[in-house]
Amino acid sequence: MLMLLLFIVCIIGIASYKKWLSPTGAAAAFIVGLVIALAFSWPGLIILGAFFVSSSLVSKLKKKGEEETVKDDSTRTARQVFANGGVAASAALVYIVFPDFIWFAAFIASLAAATSDTWASEFGRIFGGKPRHLLTFKLQPKGTSGAISWPGTVAALGGALFVTGTAYLIVGGENSFSLTSLVILTLSGFLGQWVDTLMGALLEVEYECSVCGIVSEDKMHCQTAGAVASGWSFINNEVVNTCCTLSGAAFAILFLL
């Protein structure tokens, strides 16, 4: 267990140095990592790392001259850490009490959904043209919540498969983790990302900056509080991300029952 703790501390230290985590994000990441280590030991931490490292790296990718629609801030706060990893940690807690494969599957699928969402957003923003709104199919500025593109959709599937594939390479053939499970968990993570997109199109709050007129998920822009342009004020990006990971876990449980 000591080696696991040292590993968690080292990874969080590197992530903080690279500005992937804020101080509160580092504390939250330690809690999430500790719970997952207690439940799943090294395999759990490696699967968590597949999500965190890949998502942090792709979040740093930016295209020169990229149009600004959302705040450029890839440093994760505590709220963002719990939004993306809270469901995984919750599945790990349940697994400690009820050690059944289905909770390990829920853990994997929740992180697959989080990775799918991040890859879709970042790769779609870099390699896609202007995306289209999920419901109206009208062209939208890059980074708009609820908008989709073909590169982003392909990346979403790739992100889900990256996490589930990592899990399969580590524990495939053990604890009921078959090739069928790999397909189910990949699909679950991919569908969780679509729940995120649908909520972004219908419910997620967006604010219009009174200074520059940009519409984004951030309430504060140009050092001024924006006015609600669309969505519900209490459904912010963290709420949507939590629903994304929860949906991924729920789909996995539903498909495996």
Side-chain angles (χ1 to χ4, degrees), residues 22-44:
S22 69
T24 60
F30 179 80
I31 295 171
V32 170
L34 179 60
V35 171
I36 289 171
L38 288 172
F40 305 123
S41 191
W42 287 107

Side-chain angles (χ1 to χ4, degrees), residues 35-36 85-96 103:
V35 171
I36 289 171
V87 172
S90 298
L93 281 173
V94 177
Y95 183 87
I96 292 172
W103 299 113

Side-chain angles (χ1 to χ4, degrees), residues 11-248:
I11 293 299
I12 290 175
I14 294 171
S16 298
Y17 175 76
K18 299 288 288 184
K19 300 189 185 303
W20 294 352
L21 290 169
S22 69
T24 60
F30 179 80
I31 295 171
V32 170
L34 179 60
V35 171
I36 289 171
L38 288 172
F40 305 123
S41 191
W42 287 107
L45 289 181
I46 293 172
I47 295 166
L48 176 64
F51 153 68
F52 177 67
V53 174
S54 70
S55 296
S56 296
L57 287 174
V58 300
S59 294
K60 292 292 185 181
L61 296 176
K62 297 295 175 186
K63 193 173 182 179
K64 288 185 178 181
E66 181 181 3
E67 179 182 355
E68 180 189 4
T69 59
V70 293
K71 186 179 179 181
D72 180 14
D73 186 2
S74 52
T75 302
R76 298 178 185 271
T77 64
R79 289 194 306 174
Q80 291 168 330
V81 169
F82 285 129
N84 286 285
V87 172
S90 298
L93 281 173
V94 177
Y95 183 87
I96 292 172
V97 181
F98 303 104
D100 189 280
F101 172 72
I102 200 165
W103 299 113
F104 183 50
F107 159 75
I108 296 170
S110 71
L111 293 178
T115 310
S116 179
D117 175 46
T118 303
W119 283 33
S121 299
E122 300 303 333
F123 283 111
R125 189 178 301 173
I126 296 169
F127 298 108
K130 282 194 173 183
R132 292 185 180 273
H133 194 275
L134 178 63
L135 301 179
T136 66
F137 297 105
K138 292 182 179 179
L139 291 173
Q140 303 291 319
K142 290 184 178 182
T144 301
S145 296
I148 58 174
S149 67
W150 280 112
T153 301
V154 173
L157 183 59
L161 183 58
F162 178 73
V163 169
T164 58
T166 299
Y168 185 78
L169 288 174
I170 298 170
V171 297
E174 303 176 12
N175 299 320
S176 303
F177 201 153
S178 62
L179 279 173
T180 301
S181 300
L182 172 64
V183 173
I184 288 174
L185 297 184
T186 302
L187 177 61
S188 298
F190 185 57
L191 290 176
Q193 182 272 149
W194 281 103
V195 170
D196 181 290
T197 304
L198 183 61
M199 289 189 67
L202 287 174
L203 304 174
E204 186 175 356
V205 64
E206 289 190 317
Y207 299 93
E208 182 176 358
C209 178
S210 59
V211 177
C212 66
I214 282 179
V215 176
S216 74
E217 302 165 358
D218 302 296
K219 186 173 183 179
M220 298 299 298
H221 199 278
C222 296
Q223 300 181 334
T224 305
V228 174
S230 63
W232 295 11
S233 60
F234 61 90
I235 301 183
N236 58 19
N237 186 248
E238 285 76 25
V239 172
V240 172
N241 285 344
T242 300
C243 290
C244 169
T245 55
L246 184 60
S247 297

